[in-house]
Amino acid sequence: MRFTSTIAAGIAAVGAVADGSNYLGFNSGATLADRSAKFKADFAAEFKTAAKLNGAPGKFNSARLYTNIQAYSQEDPIEAFDAAVETKTHLLLGVWASGTDNIDKEISALNKAIEKYGSELTDLIIGVNIGSEDLYRTSVTGLKNDPEGVGASPKTIVSFINDWRKAFKSSAIADVPVGHADTWDVWNNSTNKAVIDAVDFISVHEYPYYENDKGNSIENAGKLFDSAYQATLAAAGDKPVWVTETGWPYVGETWDEAVASVENAEKYWKEVGCKKLFNKTPTFWYTLRDSNPANSMKFAITDKLSTEPRFDLSCPKDSGDEKDKESKTSTSSEATKTHTSADHTSMVTSSSATATNGGSDNSEESSGNSSGSGSGSGNGSTSGSDNSSDAEASNTSDGAGAVATPSGDNGAGLLKISAAGALAALSALALF
């Protein structure tokens, strides 16, 4: 798929982090595929595998979380913090923002971890997302896909962002960029502009696989990604965009023209990852391992955390990635322009067993919306969950309840194209 010079120039201009570095990583939810909690050893195993993947076009030494809270606890720090300190893994933090009127427990959990580790932890924090696909779940498309889905309004997200800034204004992470993660079509909706104004960067989730009725075959996936990405950059204005969920399933049902297969997962990695994202903008791929048993679409690039991936991860010499691989690996804490993806999860605390609306490795929150973003992550606590894109709000319930909470991998879920989504796509294409 031809990558237009317009988009290439745009990414070159706004995609690089201030010091010339970018982050590579995967989404990581708070629970495993059987909905049991992840502990330090589980997170460490993921982080070690990611950093040693054979043939990888750079060092995947960063991880995106959906919550600060350990699965099935009230406000204990997630043990991903312990694993990150041990393995020196950079962290894009997540705060679960749906189905709650405050983020006090999220703040408390992180404060406890900082008190324990100090700079060993704070030096690894590269950013924080307040919420994941909350706006999607309250959108017309999100509610159509999942009428029981629980999200959050722009006003609520902005309020939580302000609460977070106030809580850490005098701390070691006071200057860490604050963002929000959502599907690409959400960012083009003017009703959500207050969130764009409030954040330092935007995290975008984008899944061409779910873009039914748009010619979503693997051959057209690069073009669909480009269109949505360009539309997100335009909506973001001067705010950096990070791609925090994207991927293609290696197994699962055929979605309109999109076929899930190992071969197509590899093609998508090379067409979108290698040519457009890796070492050019902070990117968190969906995903290293699947954690949502309810989702038939599976995205994991490796089996049982083997360092030998399902397909060849190397980038073609002419992709532009090989040249930048050494100079643009993750070492910076600055926000940069990129976009979104698929790691949602259900969050469960000791007092609540409700599942979140998401689908990712937390489990992950892979969602399917008209914009083509679906995430799949899961958290493990009602307050901190790994939701993947809100696009798949209908696939977010893990079966533990009707409340959207961060906990486990919803897998990249159901993206249903709506009239609003189609219009968003057309407006994106008009930019070329």
Side-chain angles (χ1 to χ4, degrees):
M1 194 61 59
R2 183 172 61 88
F3 185 34
T4 69
S5 58
T6 300
I7 294 178
I11 291 180
V14 299
V17 181
D19 69 351
S21 301
N22 281 300
Y23 299 100
L24 291 174
F26 298 96
N27 293 269
S28 183
T31 59
L32 296 169
D34 62 0
R35 305 197 190 288
S36 63
K38 282 186 190 175
F39 295 100
K40 177 183 175 180
D42 300 304
F43 287 110
E46 289 182 5
F47 299 165
K48 290 175 182 178
T49 292
K52 296 179 180 179
L53 286 168
N54 291 337
K59 195 164 186 179
F60 283 74
N61 60 353
S62 300
R64 177 202 173 204
L65 305 179
Y66 292 82
T67 181
N68 295 313
I69 301 174
Q70 177 64 17
Y72 303 102
S73 77
Q74 284 295 321
E75 53 186 281
D76 292 341
I78 191 168
E79 294 191 17
F81 295 150
D82 306 274
V85 169
E86 179 181 284
T87 60
K88 306 303 179 189
T89 298
H90 294 98
L91 295 175
L92 172 56
L93 303 183
V95 169
W96 190 248
S98 288
T100 182
D101 60 3
N102 67 77
I103 57 170
D104 295 348
K105 291 181 179 180
E106 291 277 356
I107 291 171
S108 174
L110 180 58
N111 272 324
K112 290 177 183 177
I114 291 176
E115 183 177 352
K116 179 180 180 179
Y117 287 112
S119 61
E120 287 186 280
L121 175 61
T122 58
D123 288 351
L124 295 172
I125 299 173
I126 61 175
V128 57
N129 275 323
I130 308 299
S132 181
E133 298 189 8
D134 311 87
L135 302 177
Y136 164 77
R137 286 191 291 275
T138 59
S139 70
V140 173
T141 303
L143 291 173
K144 178 181 179 181
N145 288 340
D146 183 9
E148 302 300 321
V150 178
S153 68
K155 182 178 179 180
T156 297
I157 296 299
V158 171
S159 175
F160 289 167
I161 289 171
N162 292 336
D163 291 343
W164 179 273
R165 292 189 190 280
K166 182 178 180 180
F168 294 103
K169 67 180 180 181
S170 300
S171 73
I173 62 170
D175 295 327
V176 167
V178 178
H180 171 72
D182 233 302
T183 62
W184 74 265
D185 53 341
V186 160
W187 297 119
N188 293 281
N189 188 328
S190 61
T191 62
N192 298 318
K193 187 176 185 301
V195 177
I196 296 177
D197 294 339
V199 298
D200 299 314
F201 71 103
I202 284 173
S203 288
V204 64
H205 298 175
E206 188 181 335
Y207 294 89
Y209 174 84
Y210 292 108
E211 297 274 4
N212 53 295
D213 297 333
K214 295 184 182 179
N216 61 337
S217 66
I218 188 62
E219 290 75 20
N220 199 40
K223 182 178 179 181
L224 289 177
F225 182 93
D226 292 345
S227 297
Y229 186 75
Q230 185 70 3
T232 304
L233 291 176
D238 61 353
K239 299 294 176 73
V241 179
W242 295 23
V243 177
T244 46
E245 281 190 34
T246 195
W248 192 279
Y250 71 91
V251 68
E253 67 181 281
T254 296
W255 201 269
D256 195 12
E257 297 179 29
V259 177
S261 70
V262 172
E263 179 183 4
N264 287 346
E266 178 177 359
K267 287 180 179 179
Y268 188 78
W269 174 278
K270 295 184 184 300
E271 177 64 26
V272 173
C274 290
K275 292 184 179 180
K276 309 172 190 347
L277 301 178
F278 301 153
N279 303 313
K280 299 175 180 67
T281 193
T283 302
F284 295 83
W285 200 261
Y286 190 82
T287 189
L288 185 66
R289 70 168 166 183
D290 294 294
S291 300
N292 181 20
N295 186 21
S296 63
M297 278 73 81
K298 304 301 179 183
F299 290 72
I301 65 163
T302 184
D303 183 42
K304 297 179 181 178
L305 294 184
S306 169
T307 55
E308 190 61 42
R310 296 185 191 282
F311 52 81
D312 178 18
L313 301 182
S314 65
C315 290
K317 295 294 183 182
D318 61 351
S319 69
D321 176 74
E322 286 295 318
K323 300 183 287 184
D324 302 333
K325 184 162 70 172
E326 295 303 320
S327 62
K328 294 184 179 178
T329 51
S330 27
T331 56
S332 167
S333 60
E334 298 293 327
T336 76
K337 278 231 176 213
T338 81
H339 42 314
T340 146
S341 172
D343 223 68
H344 276 241
T345 78
S346 309
M347 212 163 188
V348 184
T349 65
S350 58
S351 63
S352 170
T354 57
T356 72
N357 224 0
S360 142
D361 227 21
N362 262 12
S363 0
E364 300 160 351
E365 146 188 34
S366 169
S367 62
N369 59 6
S370 62
S371 61
S373 77
S375 39
S377 65
N379 294 335
S381 73
T382 36
S383 57
S385 113
D386 201 336
N387 279 6
S388 75
S389 38
D390 287 322
E392 172 188 41
S394 62
N395 234 14
T396 54
S397 148
D398 286 338
V403 179
T405 57
S407 77
D409 178 8
N410 293 341
L414 309 170
L415 275 180
K416 304 220 183 256
I417 301 299
S418 67
L423 289 173
L426 289 174
S427 61
L429 291 170
L431 294 171
F432 291 91

